[in-house]
Amino acid sequence: MTAFWASILKPALTGSERNWQSSQVDETEWTQVAEALGGGTAVLLGLWGDTDTIRMAVHDEATNEIAVLALACPNGSYPSVGQFHSAAQRLERAARDLFGLVPRECPDERPWLDHGRWGVRQPLGAATAEAGEGDTYGFLPVEGEGLHQVPVDPVHAGIIEPGHFRFTGNGEAVVRLEERFGYVHKGIEGLMAGKSLEQAVSLAARTSGDSTVAYGFAFSRAAEDALGVDVSERAVWLRALMAELERLANHLGDIGAVCNDAAFALMLAHCGVLRERVLRASDAAFGHRLMRDLIVPGGVAADLDDNGIAAIRAALDEIRLRFPPLVNLYDNTASLQDRTVSTGRLDSALARRFGAGGFVGRASGRGFDARKALGYAPYDRLFFEVPLLDAGDVDARVWIRIREVEQSLSLIEQILNELPQGSVFTDVKAVSTSCEGLALVEGFRGDILVWLGIGEDGLIERCHLRDPSWFQWPLLEAVIEGNIIADFPLCNKSFNCSYSGHDL
């Protein structure tokens, strides 16, 4: 532990065998951490509220230690982290909407999830709104000669979820983009309160449909961390197998979708076929195309037999045969490269400041990968590389996905070769005291954080799930500036942030 964190965390909590620690702090210590985040000394992993407590998780990259800091808010307010570290602002706004906790000196006091329909507090500008006008969200003003605004959505033409994008343009060039979300807030964290582990993990798996394995994985590891449960070796390896199959399917789909938004539908068709092969292999192996509800506290809910192994190996063989020519096609199609190279560039310093994970961060020089950095089982016994580029454009984000497809193919092969025998589930028994647990799992978009508190009755008291999109969506606003509006779908798809995972 660095000297800074040792001075903040309570001495009684040092020496823990966990790679994370929990500590009650006062307002002075809270502000010291906020200032450290603003200065780049640590990385913000999450910030969330409770009835009378605000918490944040921070990561010391020098030691790979994680601290969860809790600050009591008896008066319903706390010093804003966002005034020092902009990545915290949306999280603070969400915590205020959900729990009424007010961040003092917050640079942005507008609601985030609340669209003026909850009756909790008036949205910005509501005092001057006419009766019946409804939500009056105050988009940030932009002044200048020749500027015009283009409001887009929230209802999209495709099947993606709703989100509003407000463009300010000077001709075709984008001067500012501002996002508005919260349309698919479904109250998952509220629904979890009072639920059993079995009920709660099912809710966690529905946070973001394309990351159902990753969320089930993260929740289960957090619950096992809280209760001190050791999972069987076979279950540990099967979880990683499911996670890599999910990563593989999503990356294949994304590569094709990015090319499609650059008017190169051929790649979408071929990548779609390969993605379908992964989904069918997953169904044959585990009984569900998305492998939903298969990772549970204590292990996994389905075992893998020889037929399932054969189906996965057949899919790997087909992808290894058909994917390299697609990579060559992408790399050697001049009209496609013209759209992706240098478009939507994310600066490396900005990626680091926001702690951007996954392919978004790695395409801009931030190499954090929870599988490698934290080395959770069985990745500590598997060989793989974390691809890294620094161009930060759409092309780089495609190439990171391509390299991660190759790494996942290798990881799946290693897992199948080394898969141990044995049981796949261990009974999880509640403890007689309240406890809390935390897990950070690498999903296909980046690191997913789950923190939970379990009561003496074994039921969930509070659970927070943080999608990597919380730190990626704001960066999309930055990368589109200076690009043309027509390139926004391309930039947006190259990020492929989750609406549902963000809105909870």
Side-chain angles (χ1 to χ4, degrees), residues 138-149:
F139 287 93
L140 299 178
V142 181
E143 298 180 355
E145 185 177 352
L147 299 182
H148 64 280
Q149 286 195 338

Side-chain angles (χ1 to χ4, degrees), residues 63-84:
T63 62
N64 267 328
E65 290 180 307
I66 297 170
V68 176
L69 309 179
L71 173 65
C73 305
N75 299 318
S77 69
Y78 62 95
S80 169
V81 179
Q83 65 180 312
F84 304 104

Side-chain angles (χ1 to χ4, degrees), residues 285-306:
F286 297 108
H288 195 286
R289 287 165 58 87
L290 300 180
M291 297 167 287
R292 182 177 295 144
D293 296 331
L294 292 178
I295 297 182
V296 296
V300 296
D303 204 349
L304 179 67
D305 59 20
D306 291 341

Side-chain angles (χ1 to χ4, degrees), residues 431-458:
V431 295
S432 57
T433 59
S434 298
C435 54
E436 60 181 290
L438 177 141
L440 200 66
V441 164
E442 190 71 20
F444 88 97
R445 284 190 179 90
D447 48 290
I448 291 172
L449 173 78
V450 173
W451 175 92
L452 56 82
I454 302 176
E456 297 178 4
D457 54 5

Side-chain angles (χ1 to χ4, degrees), residues 240 243-255 278 316 319-320 323 327 356-372 376 379 383-389 395-414 441-447 468 472 494-495:
E244 294 309 316
L245 287 170
E246 181 177 78
R247 191 182 331 275
L248 182 60
N250 282 314
H251 281 338
L252 288 169
D254 277 2
I255 293 167
V278 178
L316 297 186
I319 295 169
R320 286 196 178 103
F323 187 62
V327 174
F359 46 80
V360 173
R362 291 192 275 275
S364 293
R366 183 174 185 262
F368 180 79
D369 185 314
R371 297 172 298 173
K372 182 74 73 172
Y376 57 88
Y379 291 103
F383 176 79
F384 65 103
E385 297 178 355
V386 178
L388 194 64
L389 295 170
D395 179 62
R397 290 187 282 276
V398 171
W399 275 107
I400 292 294
R401 286 176 167 98
I402 290 171
R403 296 303 177 221
E404 290 199 3
V405 164
E406 296 166 353
Q407 294 299 312
S408 287
L409 290 172
S410 172
L411 283 167
I412 292 169
E413 187 72 37
Q414 291 177 60
V441 164
E442 190 71 20
F444 88 97
R445 284 190 179 90
D447 48 290
Q472 296 169 350
S494 75
F495 272 59

Side-chain angles (χ1 to χ4, degrees), residues 59-139:
H59 180 217
D60 182 352
E61 291 189 314
T63 62
N64 267 328
E65 290 180 307
I66 297 170
V68 176
L69 309 179
L71 173 65
C73 305
N75 299 318
S77 69
Y78 62 95
S80 169
V81 179
Q83 65 180 312
F84 304 104
H85 187 50
S86 54
Q89 291 180 17
R90 290 186 179 181
L91 294 162
E92 289 183 336
R93 293 164 65 187
R96 180 173 181 173
D97 286 350
L98 295 173
F99 294 97
L101 299 174
V102 179
R104 299 193 301 272
E105 307 298 329
C106 179
D108 193 341
E109 297 182 350
R110 294 174 297 172
W112 185 244
L113 297 175
D114 182 3
H115 282 235
R117 305 293 181 180
W118 295 2
V120 177
R121 63 181 176 124
Q122 287 186 324
L124 189 69
T128 58
E130 297 181 3
E133 191 173 309
D135 187 15
T136 55
Y137 187 77
F139 287 93

